[in-house]
Amino acid sequence: MLNEERIRLMTRMACYEAGEGRKNVAIGNYFRGDYIGLQVIKSVISATIAYVILFAMFIFYDFEVFMADIYKMDLFGFAKSVIIYYLIFTAVYALISYGVYTYRYTRARRSLKIYYNNLKKLAYMYERETKK
């Protein structure tokens, strides 16, 4: 005899495993600090690449004026301001990514907790049926 409640639960769990569950299991394999730290490091590397590209675009936009003014400007002051802007840009990017990945980790763990509770519920249904 088919148990409709068990079939619904199994269908719901299979849909979860095929979609969102695959990503959540990958996230759930990490400890909280490890996952967030790894993602923030990736974000800092991405922010560095983005900053270099933006800086290069800024310089190449008006390269002739930049080359004419390079002899007049304070190079140490210019380098200091570039580094300060880089640090601010990277810090803001890292803080935002920390918040995003903390939220993703928390959501994934909550979702996995529900999934594992459904697994226990399904095991209990099978156990109850085999006892009958």
Side-chain angles (χ1 to χ4, degrees):
M1 180 110 175
L2 295 176
N3 186 341
E4 289 183 25
E5 182 182 354
R6 189 177 69 204
I7 292 172
R8 277 192 219 116
L9 183 62
M10 289 172 64
T11 305
R12 194 174 337 126
M13 289 172 57
C15 289
Y16 175 78
E17 288 173 0
E20 183 183 344
R22 186 169 299 171
K23 289 185 264 182
N24 289 343
V25 168
I27 291 172
N29 288 333
Y30 289 98
F31 290 112
R32 182 181 182 273
D34 294 340
Y35 174 74
I36 294 170
L38 177 66
Q39 299 305 322
V40 169
I41 288 172
K42 286 181 185 178
S43 296
V44 168
I45 293 169
S46 299
T48 301
I49 293 169
Y51 186 80
V52 168
I53 290 171
L54 288 173
F55 181 71
M57 287 174 56
F58 172 74
I59 296 297
F60 289 136
Y61 174 70
D62 210 2
F63 191 68
E64 185 177 332
V65 174
F66 178 74
M67 289 305 290
D69 291 342
I70 198 165
Y71 298 109
K72 300 175 194 171
M73 73 172 66
D74 177 26
L75 292 179
F76 288 115
F78 179 70
K80 183 179 175 183
S81 66
V82 167
I83 291 171
I84 288 173
Y85 287 136
Y86 165 72
L87 292 175
I88 291 171
F89 179 77
T90 306
V92 169
Y93 199 84
L95 285 173
I96 291 171
S97 66
Y98 178 82
V100 167
Y101 289 114
T102 300
Y103 173 74
R104 284 186 186 175
Y105 184 83
T106 305
R107 191 181 66 194
R109 291 297 288 191
R110 190 178 315 129
S111 179
L112 283 172
K113 189 174 183 179
I114 292 170
Y115 175 72
Y116 291 136
N117 285 337
N118 284 339
L119 278 177
K120 288 178 187 177
K121 189 177 185 181
L122 185 63
Y124 175 73
M125 287 178 179
Y126 274 114
E127 183 180 312
R128 190 177 59 191
E129 189 174 296
T130 56
K131 285 183 180 180
K132 286 184 180 180

